[in-house]
């Protein structure tokens, strides 16, 4: 399975970038800077990569587990992931231009509201992974090791 150090490093970097981005864009004039745009695109790419990694490496393997409660947990995370990806894609489409590598903000108050909601959703997801998904994986791996020994 995936190394937990890698997942935790991704979580830490996403959290760090999210905090920096939120700090920067509270001031409208900062939204048009190259730095804010670079942080935004780095952050959005890292969120997508992390979600894909968790879906593929963790949930993808848990879905085939014989225990129904484990399958249910995997299904909940996968369906949550699908919904977050849909919302995230809509958010990115609304507020940025990949072509121009720029944020496209016509209404700063709406942008801030959407941004706060979007990144609260992402942070909640990371917290749920850390509190529920990772301990489940560790428990199953420990159980497998004990059965082998």
């Amino acid at each position: 399975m995936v190394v937990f150090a890698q997942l935790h490093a991704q979580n830490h970097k996403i959290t760090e970038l999210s905090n920096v981005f939120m700090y920067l864009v509270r001031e409208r004039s900062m939204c048009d800077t190259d730095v804010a745009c670079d942080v935004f695109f780095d952050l959005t790419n890292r969120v997508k990569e992390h979600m894909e990694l968790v879906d593929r490496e963790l949930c993808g393997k848990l879905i085939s587990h014989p225990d129904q409660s484990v399958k249910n947990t995997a299904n909940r995370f996968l369906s949550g992931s699908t919904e977050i990806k849909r919302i995230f894609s809509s958010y990115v489409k609304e507020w940025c231009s990949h072509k121009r590598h720029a944020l496209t903000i016509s209404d700063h108050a709406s942008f801030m509201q959407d941004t706060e909601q979007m990144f609260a959703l992402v942070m909640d997801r990371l917290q749920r992974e850390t509190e529920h998904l990772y301990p489940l994986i560790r428990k199953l791996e420990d159980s497998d090791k004990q059965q082998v020994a």
Side-chain angles (χ1 to χ4, degrees):
M1 289 243 173
V2 171
V3 178
F4 285 103
Q6 180 184 6
L7 292 168
H8 288 297
Q10 286 179 337
N11 289 355
H12 177 76
K13 192 64 175 182
I14 289 167
T15 301
E16 182 180 86
L17 288 169
S18 177
N19 290 339
V20 168
F21 183 71
M22 292 302 297
Y23 181 81
L24 284 173
V25 297
R26 289 197 196 296
E27 178 67 39
R28 174 62 183 99
S29 63
M30 294 302 292
C31 295
D32 298 324
T33 65
D34 289 341
V35 171
C37 291
D38 290 346
V39 170
F40 177 80
F41 284 100
D42 189 17
L43 175 57
T44 57
N45 288 335
R46 286 176 187 268
V47 167
K48 289 175 190 173
E49 288 171 7
H50 178 78
M51 302 267 305
E52 289 169 8
L53 180 66
V54 169
D55 289 356
R56 182 180 65 249
E57 296 297 325
L58 299 183
C59 295
K61 290 182 170 76
L62 291 177
I63 208 85
S64 63
H65 196 275
D67 184 330
Q68 189 60 46
S69 67
V70 172
K71 287 180 184 182
N72 291 345
T73 298
N75 277 324
R76 278 194 308 275
F77 271 92
L78 285 170
S79 68
S81 180
T82 300
E83 186 64 10
I84 290 170
K85 287 176 186 176
R86 185 189 64 74
I87 294 167
F88 199 72
S89 178
S90 176
Y91 167 82
V92 169
K93 187 176 179 181
E94 172 77 20
W95 297 112
C96 85
S97 166
H98 282 285
K99 190 177 185 178
R100 292 184 297 133
H101 191 77
L103 295 171
T104 54
I105 302 167
S106 56
D107 178 352
H108 186 254
S110 292
F111 168 73
M112 285 307 302
Q113 182 178 358
D114 287 357
T115 299
E116 287 168 356
Q117 290 174 349
M118 183 70 251
F119 289 108
L121 189 64
V122 170
M123 292 300 111
D124 181 61
R125 167 60 186 239
L126 296 181
Q127 183 176 350
R128 283 184 285 117
E129 286 175 10
T130 302
E131 293 176 355
H132 301 289
L133 191 59
Y134 303 167
L136 174 61
I137 298 288
R138 284 189 180 103
K139 179 180 160 189
L140 294 173
E141 287 178 345
D142 289 346
S143 176
D144 288 347
K145 287 176 188 174
Q146 289 175 359
Q147 289 177 358
V148 171

